[in-house]
Amino acid sequence: MNFDRILIRYGEMALKGKNRNHFEQVLQRNLTLKLRPFPNTKIRKTRDRMYVLLNGEEPNDVMKSCQEVFGIHSLSFAIKVEKKEEDLKEAALLAFTDASSAKTFKVSAKRTDKDFPIHSKELNPLLGGHILRNTEHVTVDVHNPDVEIKVEVRSDAAYVTAQDYPGAGGLPVGTTGKSLLLLSGGIDSPVSGYLTLKRGVELSAVHFHSPPYTSERAKQKVIDLAGVLSKYGNQVNVHVVPFTAIQQKIHREMPEGYSMTIMRRIMMRISELIARKEGILSLTTGESLGQVASQTMESMNAINEVTNYPIIRPLVSMDKLEIIDISRKINTYDISIRPYEDCCTVFVPKAPKTKPTREKAAYYESSTDFTKDVQTALQQTSVIQVKADTSSKEIEDEFNDLL
């Protein structure tokens, strides 16, 4: 006897009331996309739960993939057996042995099929005794067991589960809108993207590229980071904006202390234009308050002036170590530390203003017209589709009618 399915438990989406069905449908769609490498799997949704039928696929590989799908609180391998005493005993023993390190257990049986002749209170000692007779150094602990074996006798069959595996939590990607992530090659912005995906937000990305100051390897690093993020969502479109001419103009014509602030204001303007064209209603950044000169309260205030779009900043209250911990967990850290510069690390002023004002930023900008530079950058922007299998391809994207 082997596990033949994975039981999926919902997280907070269980509290969505009349909208719950929509959330479940999106979760089912995301699971279907995630499990494409396992063609024999089937997903079954019932009134209050979801199952992935394994149909011979390798259970642990399927479980690992399911754990990367947002909207799932926890998962368990499950066995569907006929409502026979011997089948239930064998399934309960298998469920216990799956939790290899468990030394204590309890059985929690539930009989929704009232025609089944063995009552729930009788099933618990019956199945528990079978486990004790077929294992060593194991005891029953009804208050704090290492593993709880759950048996549910329903009208169609009996279902047995044991060890719970953690899910990714959050909400299914695609249930709470779409955001444009300002994606650099650093540690922070991929983590910010991951946490935004976790809230059910679908992502596109924008990357500012400054050749020859930044290399093709730096761009590839961003594509690889987008590939990791797409594992947790779906396809991520990366808009690659050529930014060299604008950076050179800022470096040449703006006061050095304000160059970083003005660069980010122009980035924000370009990002909003891309978002508007794509029908996206928010921007996401990897800013963490107090981390660098451009992430002070005053700097954020000055940068915010140029857009009315909501800016999602999931990292704003985190310290660097917390961010690094997450980046290691989601496997973006090793990519982010590749030694290739991005546009934010070139033309860095020696003494950037940590308390810039909106008035001065606007005043300095008014002396130089960036309109044509922004228009040119948008017209030359390319879009790269990045999918979870790390494949990517460039697609046409015209901005000629945007300005």
Side-chain angles (χ1 to χ4, degrees), residues 28-182:
Q28 185 172 4
R29 180 202 66 184
N30 293 347
L31 271 172
T32 301
L33 292 172
K34 188 70 178 181
L35 296 179
R36 281 183 299 192
F38 308 98
N40 294 321
T41 56
K42 301 291 182 186
I43 299 172
R44 292 286 180 269
K45 185 167 77 72
T46 63
R47 182 175 176 275
D48 54 356
R49 60 188 64 190
M50 201 174 292
Y51 293 100
V52 175
L53 308 185
L54 295 169
N55 291 324
E57 298 286 0
E58 209 293 315
N60 291 310
D61 290 345
V62 177
M63 173 66 79
K64 186 177 179 182
S65 292
C66 291
Q67 287 181 288
E68 294 177 341
V69 179
F70 288 122
I72 297 174
H73 174 67
S74 66
L75 312 93
S76 296
F77 288 120
I79 314 168
K80 179 182 178 181
V81 296
E82 293 189 28
K83 294 181 284 186
K84 297 178 180 178
E85 180 179 328
E86 289 306 312
D87 287 357
L88 285 169
K89 286 180 176 177
E90 189 175 355
L93 181 59
L94 174 63
F96 175 76
T97 53
D98 175 56
S100 57
S101 61
K103 296 300 179 186
T104 61
F105 73 96
K106 78 171 184 179
V107 177
S108 299
K110 182 179 179 181
R111 186 187 62 136
T112 58
D113 177 10
K114 301 305 179 186
D115 293 330
F116 186 65
I118 307 175
H119 290 199
S120 301
K121 291 184 179 179
E122 297 170 329
L123 271 175
N124 292 339
L126 180 69
L127 302 180
H130 181 71
I131 293 171
L132 290 172
R133 286 191 294 275
N134 288 277
T135 54
E136 295 181 350
H137 310 299
V138 171
T139 59
V140 174
D141 185 342
V142 296
H143 300 293
N144 189 29
D146 293 334
V147 61
E148 180 180 3
I149 299 169
K150 299 172 184 174
V151 180
E152 187 169 346
V153 182
R154 309 183 76 172
S155 58
D156 61 326
Y159 297 85
V160 180
T161 66
Q163 188 171 5
D164 292 346
Y165 295 82
L171 295 169
V173 173
T175 55
T176 56
K178 191 170 182 178
S179 190
L180 184 69
L181 170 68
L182 278 69

Side-chain angles (χ1 to χ4, degrees), residues 357-374:
T357 66
R358 290 184 171 192
E359 292 75 16
K360 285 190 175 180
Y363 171 75
Y364 294 134
E365 284 178 0
S366 67
S367 64
T368 301
D369 187 0
F370 287 99
T371 306
K372 288 185 179 178
D373 305 280
V374 169

Side-chain angles (χ1 to χ4, degrees), residues 191-236:
V191 174
S192 184
Y194 168 82
L195 294 175
T196 304
L197 287 164
K198 187 174 182 178
R199 296 311 305 158
V201 179
E202 197 174 348
L203 282 185
S204 279
V206 56
H207 175 66
F208 294 90
H209 187 46
S210 297
Y213 306 107
T214 59
S215 65
E216 283 300 307
R217 288 181 175 181
K219 187 169 79 173
Q220 184 60 47
K221 183 168 79 166
V222 170
I223 294 170
D224 292 345
L225 290 169
V228 175
L229 291 177
S230 68
K231 287 172 55 181
Y232 298 96
N234 298 315
Q235 174 182 293
V236 175

Side-chain angles (χ1 to χ4, degrees), residues 21 42 83 110 138 165 180 269 272 280 286 326 381 403:
N21 189 48
K42 301 291 182 186
K83 294 181 284 186
K110 182 179 179 181
V138 171
Y165 295 82
L180 184 69
R269 289 191 180 99
E272 181 183 315
I280 297 171
I326 297 174
T381 293
L403 296 173

Side-chain angles (χ1 to χ4, degrees), residues 178 204 237 239 273-280 383 397 399:
K178 191 170 182 178
S204 279
N237 287 348
H239 299 256
L273 289 168
I274 292 172
R276 185 175 299 169
K277 176 179 179 290
E278 298 293 320
I280 297 171
V383 181
D397 192 62
F399 284 83

